[in-house]
Amino acid sequence: MPTHGPATPSTAAWPVPTQPAETLFTEIYRTNHWGSPESVSGPGSEIRQTEAVRAALSSVLARYPIRTVTDAGCGDVNWIRGVAGFDQLDSYVGLDVVPDLVQLNQERHGSERISFRQADLSRDDIPAADLVIARDCLVHLTHHEVLTFLDRVTASRSTYLLATTYVGEAENRDTTDTHWRPLNLQAAPFHLPKPVEYFDTDFTDGGRHHPGNGLGLWKIDQLSARTT
């Protein structure tokens, strides 16, 4: 369990979700709710939309001592398998809350180095790794779930976190039932410090998505310094 001191932002101020994430995301998966013909994880996981994301991750893998990765909210792994350096990792663990998708990923892509596990990011332990990725998943979780996830990442004693953040957002609003909204992880109630690096990974979709999508890289020992 997390071992933060009293300065850590509390989940108590935010309501616990009324429906399990597994129920909500399984329905999204089974109905292809986001409507992408390429990826059940949505348009943001299509190859054409992840050029900058793939470049950012390949840069991190090339320049930091990363041999093991935990991908929190891995979806159907449509884009990440094309990242330069991915095939050189010692291990990759993809976490997703949808059991059918986890099973399918394991059947299609599982190997001695690559494995998939069902996990609710706000309820289950995060496997320790050199790098934990949380790309485009926290934006669908409630404040309570995001805060709990950050606690669990810190407790995992992993080394780095690479996560989607919208640095231009001055204020974060809560959500329900997986509805998307932009999150600035440096703003309240998350209060992450300035990242070690920031990568602009905005979509090339003619403005249909909210602008400002980026990836922040944090040392995970920075996360315990969050304040209320």
Side-chain angles (χ1 to χ4, degrees):
M1 295 297 292
T3 56
H4 294 160
T8 302
S10 173
T11 60
W14 303 98
V16 177
T18 57
Q19 293 193 67
E22 178 181 338
T23 300
L24 295 167
F25 282 99
T26 295
E27 179 66 15
I28 287 170
Y29 165 71
R30 290 178 175 171
T31 61
N32 192 22
H33 175 78
W34 288 309
S36 168
E38 179 182 328
S39 171
V40 294
S41 298
S45 291
E46 295 174 0
I47 297 301
R48 67 186 179 89
Q49 293 290 6
T50 54
E51 181 178 352
V53 173
R54 285 179 280 121
L57 180 53
S58 65
S59 176
V60 170
L61 295 181
R63 295 183 295 109
Y64 290 85
I66 292 167
R67 305 303 309 161
T68 59
V69 167
T70 294
D71 189 357
C74 66
D76 63 2
V77 293
N78 184 61
W79 64 271
I80 198 168
R81 292 176 294 113
V83 169
F86 179 82
D87 59 352
Q88 301 299 313
L89 292 172
D90 292 340
S91 73
Y92 167 92
V93 178
L95 306 180
D96 202 277
V97 75
V98 179
D100 294 353
L101 183 54
V102 169
Q103 181 178 345
L104 185 62
N105 283 343
Q106 189 64 38
E107 292 171 353
R108 288 181 172 177
H109 310 298
S111 68
E112 290 185 2
R113 294 187 309 106
I114 299 173
S115 63
F116 300 90
R117 305 180 192 176
Q118 184 188 11
D120 183 321
L121 300 184
S122 69
R123 300 187 182 202
D124 297 319
D125 292 339
I126 306 299
D130 298 327
L131 177 67
V132 176
I133 300 171
R135 191 252 163 178
D136 272 4
C137 63
L138 304 183
V139 291
H140 294 284
L141 303 184
T142 68
H143 283 2
H144 182 280
E145 290 171 311
V146 176
L147 288 164
T148 306
F149 168 74
L150 293 173
D151 282 346
R152 291 189 175 279
V153 169
T154 304
S156 76
R157 300 188 180 276
S158 298
T159 307
Y160 290 98
L161 170 67
L162 184 69
T164 299
T165 186
Y166 288 77
V167 294
E169 293 294 313
E171 187 175 333
N172 291 315
R173 65 180 186 274
D174 206 355
T175 190
T176 59
D177 299 336
T178 77
H179 292 302
W180 180 95
R181 86 294 198 197
L183 288 181
N184 181 351
L185 295 179
Q186 292 175 254
F190 312 115
H191 297 291
L192 265 61
K194 183 179 179 180
V196 174
E197 287 198 62
Y198 173 77
F199 303 90
D200 181 359
T201 59
D202 219 346
F203 294 117
T204 55
D205 62 357
R208 288 186 294 111
H209 288 85
H210 194 285
N213 183 298
L215 287 169
L217 180 70
W218 286 270
K219 284 289 297 290
I220 286 177
D221 58 15
Q222 292 180 280
L223 272 58
S224 60
R226 292 178 290 143
T227 59
T228 54

